[in-house]
Amino acid sequence: MYTRSAGQGLPVVLLHAFPLSSAMWLTQREGLSSSCEVVTPDLRGFGGSPLGDQEPSVDVMADDVARLLDHRGIDRAVVGGQSMGGYVTMAMCRRHPDRLLGVVLADTKAGADTEAARANRERVATTALEEGSSFLAGEMLPTLVGRTTTRSRAMV
Protein backbone atom coordinates (compact mmCIF):
# COMPACT_ATOMS: atom_id res chain seq x y z
CA MET A 1 0.00 0.00 0.00
CA TYR A 2 1.49 3.31 -1.11
CA THR A 3 1.55 5.95 1.64
CA ARG A 4 2.65 9.50 2.16
CA SER A 5 3.54 10.48 5.72
CA ALA A 6 5.01 13.33 7.73
CA GLY A 7 5.75 14.26 11.31
CA GLN A 8 6.00 12.52 14.64
CA GLY A 9 3.69 12.22 17.60
CA LEU A 10 0.06 11.24 17.80
CA PRO A 11 -0.63 8.85 14.89
CA VAL A 12 -3.33 10.16 12.54
CA VAL A 13 -4.40 8.19 9.45
CA LEU A 14 -6.40 10.09 6.82
CA LEU A 15 -8.30 8.16 4.13
CA HIS A 16 -9.11 9.79 0.81
CA ALA A 17 -12.35 10.22 -1.12
CA PHE A 18 -13.28 8.49 -4.40
CA PRO A 19 -11.74 8.75 -7.00
CA LEU A 20 -8.79 10.61 -5.45
CA SER A 21 -5.59 9.53 -3.68
CA SER A 22 -3.65 10.47 -0.58
CA ALA A 23 -2.47 13.56 -2.46
CA MET A 24 -5.75 15.22 -1.44
CA TRP A 25 -4.45 15.44 2.14
CA LEU A 26 -1.27 17.47 1.36
CA THR A 27 -2.31 20.59 3.27
CA GLN A 28 -3.57 18.62 6.29
CA ARG A 29 -0.47 16.40 6.29
CA GLU A 30 1.82 19.44 6.32
CA GLY A 31 -0.30 21.35 8.83
CA LEU A 32 -0.52 18.54 11.37
CA SER A 33 3.04 17.23 11.00
CA SER A 34 4.44 19.51 13.72
CA SER A 35 2.47 17.60 16.36
CA CYS A 36 1.29 14.36 14.75
CA GLU A 37 2.54 11.46 12.69
CA VAL A 38 0.22 11.86 9.71
CA VAL A 39 -0.14 8.80 7.49
CA THR A 40 -2.13 9.09 4.27
CA PRO A 41 -2.37 5.84 2.28
CA ASP A 42 -3.65 5.35 -1.22
CA LEU A 43 -6.47 2.87 -0.75
CA ARG A 44 -6.33 -0.24 -2.96
CA GLY A 45 -6.92 0.54 -6.60
CA PHE A 46 -6.21 4.27 -6.21
CA GLY A 47 -3.05 6.32 -6.67
CA GLY A 48 0.03 4.19 -6.17
CA SER A 49 -1.71 1.19 -4.59
CA PRO A 50 -2.61 -1.82 -6.74
CA LEU A 51 -6.14 -3.20 -6.70
CA GLY A 52 -4.97 -6.65 -5.65
CA ASP A 53 -6.70 -10.00 -6.07
CA GLN A 54 -9.45 -9.65 -3.46
CA GLU A 55 -12.87 -8.30 -4.40
CA PRO A 56 -12.61 -4.64 -3.34
CA SER A 57 -14.82 -3.50 -0.47
CA VAL A 58 -14.67 -1.07 2.42
CA ASP A 59 -14.09 -4.05 4.74
CA VAL A 60 -11.07 -5.20 2.71
CA MET A 61 -9.75 -1.62 2.70
CA ALA A 62 -10.22 -1.39 6.50
CA ASP A 63 -8.21 -4.59 6.89
CA ASP A 64 -5.53 -3.02 4.65
CA VAL A 65 -5.39 -0.02 7.01
CA ALA A 66 -5.03 -2.33 10.03
CA ARG A 67 -2.13 -4.10 8.27
CA LEU A 68 -0.59 -0.71 7.51
CA LEU A 69 -0.72 0.15 11.22
CA ASP A 70 0.95 -3.19 12.00
CA HIS A 71 3.64 -2.54 9.39
CA ARG A 72 4.37 0.90 10.87
CA GLY A 73 4.35 -0.40 14.47
CA ILE A 74 1.31 1.69 15.41
CA ASP A 75 -0.99 0.07 17.99
CA ARG A 76 -3.74 2.69 17.87
CA ALA A 77 -4.39 5.78 15.78
CA VAL A 78 -6.91 8.48 15.09
CA VAL A 79 -8.43 7.41 11.77
CA GLY A 80 -10.38 9.80 9.60
CA GLY A 81 -11.82 9.77 6.15
CA GLN A 82 -13.72 11.83 3.64
CA SER A 83 -16.60 10.33 1.67
CA MET A 84 -15.40 6.84 0.63
CA GLY A 85 -12.57 7.20 3.16
CA GLY A 86 -15.26 7.76 5.78
CA TYR A 87 -16.94 4.50 4.78
CA VAL A 88 -13.58 2.76 5.28
CA THR A 89 -13.20 4.53 8.64
CA MET A 90 -16.60 3.22 9.73
CA ALA A 91 -15.53 -0.27 8.63
CA MET A 92 -12.47 0.20 10.89
CA CYS A 93 -14.89 0.97 13.74
CA ARG A 94 -16.72 -2.32 13.09
CA ARG A 95 -13.74 -4.55 12.32
CA HIS A 96 -10.83 -3.07 14.31
CA PRO A 97 -12.24 -0.90 17.12
CA ASP A 98 -9.28 -1.71 19.36
CA ARG A 99 -6.96 0.06 16.88
CA LEU A 100 -8.75 3.42 17.17
CA LEU A 101 -7.89 6.37 19.42
CA GLY A 102 -10.49 8.52 17.69
CA VAL A 103 -12.48 8.89 14.50
CA VAL A 104 -12.96 11.80 12.10
CA LEU A 105 -15.74 11.62 9.48
CA ALA A 106 -15.96 14.29 6.77
CA ASP A 107 -18.63 14.51 4.06
CA THR A 108 -19.68 10.89 4.58
CA LYS A 109 -22.74 9.08 5.86
CA ALA A 110 -23.55 5.96 7.84
CA GLY A 111 -26.71 4.94 5.98
CA ALA A 112 -26.98 2.88 2.83
CA ASP A 113 -27.17 4.59 -0.55
CA THR A 114 -30.53 5.27 -2.09
CA GLU A 115 -31.41 3.18 -5.13
CA ALA A 116 -30.66 6.19 -7.36
CA ALA A 117 -27.22 6.70 -5.78
CA ARG A 118 -26.46 2.98 -6.07
CA ALA A 119 -27.48 3.00 -9.74
CA ASN A 120 -25.22 6.01 -10.38
CA ARG A 121 -22.26 4.25 -8.72
CA GLU A 122 -22.87 1.22 -10.94
CA ARG A 123 -23.05 3.48 -14.02
CA VAL A 124 -19.74 5.15 -13.10
CA ALA A 125 -18.07 1.77 -12.47
CA THR A 126 -19.35 0.31 -15.74
CA THR A 127 -18.23 3.37 -17.71
CA ALA A 128 -14.78 3.21 -16.08
CA LEU A 129 -14.45 -0.44 -17.09
CA GLU A 130 -15.60 0.22 -20.66
CA GLU A 131 -13.92 3.58 -21.37
CA GLY A 132 -11.12 3.82 -18.81
CA SER A 133 -10.90 6.06 -15.81
CA SER A 134 -10.08 9.29 -17.67
CA PHE A 135 -13.78 10.17 -17.95
CA LEU A 136 -13.92 10.57 -14.15
CA ALA A 137 -12.33 14.02 -14.26
CA GLY A 138 -15.18 15.47 -16.29
CA GLU A 139 -17.75 13.43 -14.38
CA MET A 140 -16.55 14.13 -10.86
CA LEU A 141 -14.74 17.48 -10.93
CA PRO A 142 -17.90 19.61 -10.93
CA THR A 143 -19.05 17.85 -7.75
CA LEU A 144 -15.66 18.11 -6.01
CA VAL A 145 -14.71 21.74 -6.56
CA GLY A 146 -17.16 24.60 -5.97
CA ARG A 147 -17.46 27.87 -7.85
CA THR A 148 -15.65 29.90 -5.19
CA THR A 149 -12.63 27.58 -5.24
CA THR A 150 -12.62 27.45 -9.02
CA ARG A 151 -12.68 31.25 -9.18
CA SER A 152 -10.23 32.07 -6.37
CA ARG A 153 -7.93 29.00 -6.33
CA ALA A 154 -7.74 27.80 -9.92
CA MET A 155 -4.70 25.60 -9.16
CA VAL A 156 -6.90 23.34 -7.04
Side-chain angles (χ1 to χ4, degrees):
M1 173 182 275
Y2 179 82
T3 63
R4 294 174 170 95
S5 61
Q8 296 179 4
L10 175 72
V12 176
V13 178
L14 299 175
L15 306 175
H16 62 83
F18 174 89
L20 305 175
S21 73
S22 60
M24 73 170 271
W25 295 115
L26 173 64
T27 301
Q28 292 78 10
R29 196 170 46 250
E30 290 178 351
L32 293 170
S33 67
S34 63
S35 59
C36 299
E37 176 185 3
V38 184
V39 180
T40 58
D42 287 349
L43 296 168
R44 63 172 52 223
F46 295 91
S49 294
L51 184 58
D53 296 331
Q54 287 180 284
E55 183 76 21
S57 72
V58 294
D59 288 341
V60 169
M61 290 177 182
D63 294 346
D64 290 341
V65 173
R67 280 190 294 280
L68 173 64
L69 294 177
D70 291 342
H71 177 74
R72 295 182 71 93
I74 298 171
D75 291 326
R76 294 169 27 123
V78 174
V79 178
Q82 181 176 2
S83 191
M84 178 187 72
Y87 298 160
V88 177
T89 301
M90 285 184 270
M92 284 289 296
C93 291
R94 289 189 308 274
R95 297 174 71 82
H96 305 282
D98 57 317
R99 305 303 301 269
L100 301 172
L101 288 171
V103 169
V104 178
L105 300 172
D107 192 25
T108 195
K109 60 184 180 176
D113 283 343
T114 64
E115 191 55 44
R118 186 176 294 120
N120 188 55
R121 287 184 194 274
E122 288 294 323
R123 179 189 63 77
V124 169
T126 299
T127 305
L129 288 171
E130 292 172 353
E131 299 178 18
S133 61
S134 60
F135 90 98
L136 286 173
E139 178 85 13
M140 303 287 297
L141 192 59
T143 66
L144 296 175
V145 181
R147 285 178 286 178
T148 302
T149 300
T150 301
R151 185 175 53 253
S152 63
R153 297 181 61 208
M155 290 299 291
V156 170

